[in-house]
Amino acid sequence: MRVAIAGAGLAGLACAKYLVDKGHTPIVLERRDVLGGKIAAWKDADGDWYETGLHIFFGAYPNMLQLFKELKIEDRLQWKQHSMIFNQPEKPGTYSRFDFPDIPAPWNGLVAILRNNDMLTWMEKIRFGIGLIPAIIKGQKYVEEMDQYSWSQWMKKQNIPPRIEKEVFIAMSKALNFINPDEISATILLTALNRFLQEKNGSKMAFLDGSPTERLCQPLQDYIVSNGGEVRLNAPLKEILLKDDQSVDGFLIRGLDGQEDEVLKADIYLSAMPVDPLKVLLPKSWQELDYFKKLDGLVGVPVVNLHLWFDRKLTDIDHLLFSRSPLLSVYADMSNTCREYFNKDRSMLELVLAPAKDWISKPDSEIIEATMEELKKLFPQHFEGDNPTQLLKYHVVKTPRSVYKATPGRQACRPEQKTPISNFYLAGDYTMQQYLGSMEGAVLSGKLAADVIAKDYSEGKNLTSVENQETPTPV
Ligand SMILES: Cc1cc2nc3c(=O)[nH]c(=O)nc-3n(C[C@H](O)[C@H](O)[C@H](O)COP(=O)(O)OP(=O)(O)OC[C@H]3O[C@@H](n4cnc5c(N)ncnc54)[C@H](O)[C@@H]3O)c2cc1C
């Protein structure tokens, strides 16, 4: 079966990979000249990579880890010590660590929390533990129900001291969805905590050994192509063409550089675009359907990813760091954490700026100036004295609409991969799957979409018979 897929991010590429595994022929259309969407990266004139986002792979990413295995590229994941490391704003230049011992879950997480005495008092730990009891006892059902509250509201409801939010959860909330605890849904933090506490290596982190475009997307493309599929760059979907019965008749691809538009015909069509462009391209007649109306509740959140090259080494920490800065979220010295970016003499800091709504339209120079002020607090020893560190160069990558903004109530807006349109499916991190807006969520959504397509068009029930059914129209 020919399946036209719009979008070559992780969801579109993973879907195509699992479709070729099932004997289908995907044709992936990507708007830009680069694979990867939110994990895309570029090489500058000096040969240095810069990326859409600082990306961390977690032990709690079963579908992503399985994909690495299937592509035979597991050795490209560089696993770090099982720790979470936070800057201490009140003691500039110092760190507080949660070190997870090598014992089964949840004991390793509990020991990590109990052993850390810099950030929380014993009384705060006990009150937080008590507050978490309903989530532990009632499980995922409770976690989903808490989508009606923001994390701040949920903490208040559970009588958890507000200081815990300030110490730990501003950093976690910004890392997970680029917004603060008073905005983020409690479901997001509770889901992450559940994974981290229930799986021994759930919170263990890995960095890719080079740029995601080259080290992850390229092998995906190679796999798809060598198994009969196609991946086309510079092929933006312009319009979804419909038949009289409202099912898809073709994808109209915008011709670039004076070329004519082209109609791509397939048996099945799938959007692996982010939710924002999908909403713009939805045919008018579909917009009235409840399934698509719900998408109005999903909007991408702005985020900025920064890369700063320095004339010397600022740290030898080979791990992700939670900055706990009001301007910044997580960061890492990529000259330590990533094999291809290794430099023994000079640091390259990759930092996520979040929340970014007040910064996304500001000039790069202003963003870098504010970031340098924050770095003085994170690395005071290198910015003081007669010979302070020099910034050699920088790259700023802005994503005005990144993952969907996970405010309370969003779970109800997330669509299943199967749509009411007989030959049209969705994949993408925003679609319904248990891993929220993440790389794991994107891969899982692609896999789920491939599964549901295979199920809908399984043996004996070929496309002709589906088209001949009496009710291919939207419900
Ligand atoms: C700064 C930042 C940091 C992040 N950190 C992490 C992290 O540490 N860990 C983690 O798990 N996740 C992280 N994420 C989230 C992760 O990157 C995303 O959840 C995931 O990559 C989304 O994949 P996707 O395929 O669903 O969407 P996308 O990657 O957005 O892919 C959609 C694709 O559709 C294409 N497209 C759009 N319109 C059209 C059109 N008209 N025609 C054809 N193609 C079109 C786009 O160009 C894009 O390539 C981060 C994201 C950002 C931005």
Side-chain angles (χ1 to χ4, degrees):
M1 201 98 58
R2 271 165 66 84
V3 186
I5 298 177
L10 273 175
L13 291 171
C15 184
K17 191 261 174 205
Y18 289 108
L19 283 171
V20 295
D21 285 348
K22 294 173 194 297
H24 298 297
T25 309
I27 303 109
V28 185
L29 308 171
E30 169 54 44
R31 178 176 68 90
R32 301 195 292 180
D33 61 358
V34 59
L35 295 171
K38 289 192 252 303
I39 62 164
W42 302 265
K43 222 174 206 180
D44 70 12
D46 306 321
D48 292 318
W49 285 99
Y50 57 104
E51 308 178 340
T52 310
L54 170 58
H55 277 91
I56 303 297
F57 298 77
F58 286 96
Y61 278 6
N63 296 285
M64 178 61 96
L65 301 187
Q66 177 66 24
L67 181 65
F68 270 81
K69 211 177 196 168
E70 289 166 2
L71 295 171
K72 300 191 174 63
I73 55 168
E74 287 160 288
D75 59 331
R76 297 185 182 182
L77 283 175
Q78 296 184 250
W79 290 98
K80 306 300 173 191
Q81 253 181 21
H82 197 172
S83 303
M84 289 177 127
I85 311 176
F86 290 74
N87 274 97
Q88 304 200 88
E90 62 293 347
K91 293 187 204 155
T94 66
Y95 305 95
S96 175
R97 300 176 64 106
F98 291 85
D99 292 312
F100 290 66
D102 189 17
I103 55 173
W107 309 110
N108 61 345
L110 292 177
V111 172
I113 293 167
L114 293 178
R115 278 204 303 220
N116 178 300
N117 291 320
D118 306 319
M119 290 168 72
L120 302 178
T121 65
W122 277 90
M123 191 44 74
E124 285 167 343
K125 288 176 197 174
I126 291 166
R127 287 182 60 187
F128 182 58
I130 294 171
L132 265 186
I133 287 173
I136 296 164
I137 295 176
K138 297 184 198 160
Q140 196 57 29
K141 185 167 178 294
Y142 172 86
V143 169
E144 292 293 333
E145 283 165 12
M146 293 306 104
D147 193 42
Q148 59 188 299
Y149 302 110
S150 70
W151 181 251
S152 304
Q153 288 168 333
W154 180 84
M155 287 196 49
K156 205 164 171 195
K157 190 171 99 56
Q158 299 303 104
N159 276 320
I160 298 171
R163 214 186 70 87
I164 302 183
E165 176 173 303
K166 182 169 160 277
E167 289 297 298
V168 181
F169 288 107
I170 294 179
M172 292 270 282
S173 161
K174 294 207 306 178
L176 286 167
N177 197 237
F178 317 130
I179 52 179
N180 276 317
D182 59 342
E183 284 202 286
I184 198 168
S185 154
T187 296
I188 306 297
L189 271 299
L190 289 172
T191 302
L193 285 175
N194 253 351
R195 296 262 162 272
F196 290 175
L197 289 174
Q198 283 172 12
E199 295 171 34
K200 182 181 171 191
N201 289 323
S203 57
K204 202 167 175 182
M205 300 179 210
F207 284 68
L208 197 56
D209 65 354
S211 93
T213 303
E214 219 176 55
R215 304 296 287 170
L216 175 55
C217 298
Q218 192 59 48
L220 267 167
Q221 175 178 15
D222 294 345
Y223 185 99
I224 295 160
V225 172
S226 63
N227 285 284
E230 236 183 278
V231 180
R232 291 171 56 181
L233 296 177
N234 300 309
L237 175 62
K238 181 180 174 188
E239 194 182 337
I240 301 172
L241 306 172
L242 299 189
K243 297 180 191 164
D244 289 344
D245 68 3
Q246 303 302 307
S247 64
V248 182
D249 192 29
F251 271 178
L252 184 67
I253 307 170
R254 185 185 300 282
L256 301 180
D257 303 326
Q259 302 271 357
E260 290 209 349
D261 292 352
E262 172 196 341
V263 176
L264 180 82
K265 294 270 190 179
D267 301 308
I268 297 166
Y269 300 85
L270 180 138
S271 164
M273 300 180 290
V275 69
D276 304 281
L278 170 65
K279 284 191 288 187
V280 175
L281 287 174
L282 280 178
K284 257 212 155 50
S285 58
W286 292 6
Q287 291 172 16
E288 300 308 314
L289 302 174
D290 285 346
Y291 174 92
F292 291 112
K293 263 194 212 153
K294 286 194 312 188
L295 300 181
D296 288 340
L298 299 175
V299 177
V301 65
V303 67
V304 180
N305 201 50
L306 307 165
H307 311 71
L308 284 80
W309 281 260
F310 290 94
D311 65 344
R312 70 195 64 175
K313 224 51 189 168
L314 301 188
T315 175
D316 56 6
I317 296 179
D318 177 12
H319 215 300
L320 182 78
L321 292 147
F322 292 82
S323 74
R324 295 177 69 208
S325 130
L327 182 75
L328 304 169
S329 172
V330 287
Y331 68 102
D333 187 337
M334 300 296 277
S335 72
N336 302 328
T337 55
C338 172
R339 206 170 290 137
E340 200 182 337
Y341 304 172
F342 175 77
N343 190 319
K344 69 177 176 33
D345 302 318
R346 292 173 173 180
S347 284
M348 189 278 259
L349 297 186
E350 191 166 334
L351 311 105
V352 179
L353 188 158
K357 72 174 169 25
D358 297 333
W359 290 93
I360 199 80
S361 352
K362 295 210 169 148
D364 292 358
S365 54
E366 208 174 308
I367 292 173
I368 293 296
E369 203 178 309
T371 303
M372 290 294 279
E373 285 307 308
E374 290 302 301
L375 291 182
K376 285 181 190 165
K377 296 175 207 156
L378 299 181
F379 302 100
Q381 65 278 29
H382 294 288
F383 286 84
E384 288 162 359
D386 300 337
N387 182 22
T389 185
Q390 298 298 314
L391 177 64
L392 300 177
K393 69 170 182 181
Y394 63 80
H395 286 296
V396 175
V397 182
K398 296 175 178 170
T399 307
R401 303 242 168 143
S402 71
V403 293
Y404 74 94
K405 189 172 176 182
T407 52
R410 294 316 95 196
Q411 287 294 82
C413 303
R414 299 176 66 195
E416 300 288 332
Q417 288 73 31
K418 186 176 168 65
T419 79
I421 308 299
S422 62
N423 62 350
F424 183 71
Y425 296 81
L426 297 182
D429 60 358
Y430 69 93
T431 62
M432 193 42 107
Q433 39 71 26
Q434 65 196 102
Y435 289 94
L436 317 167
S438 65
M439 294 187 288
E440 170 71 6
V443 168
L444 176 56
S445 75
K447 200 180 215 174
L448 290 172
D451 284 347
V452 73
I453 289 171
K455 188 164 159 271
D456 285 356
Y457 295 87
S458 58
E459 325 96 49
K461 190 183 164 206
N462 62 26
L463 186 73
T464 322
S465 64
V466 168
E467 282 190 329
N468 287 342
Q469 284 172 2
E470 279 172 12
T471 51
T473 41
V475 285

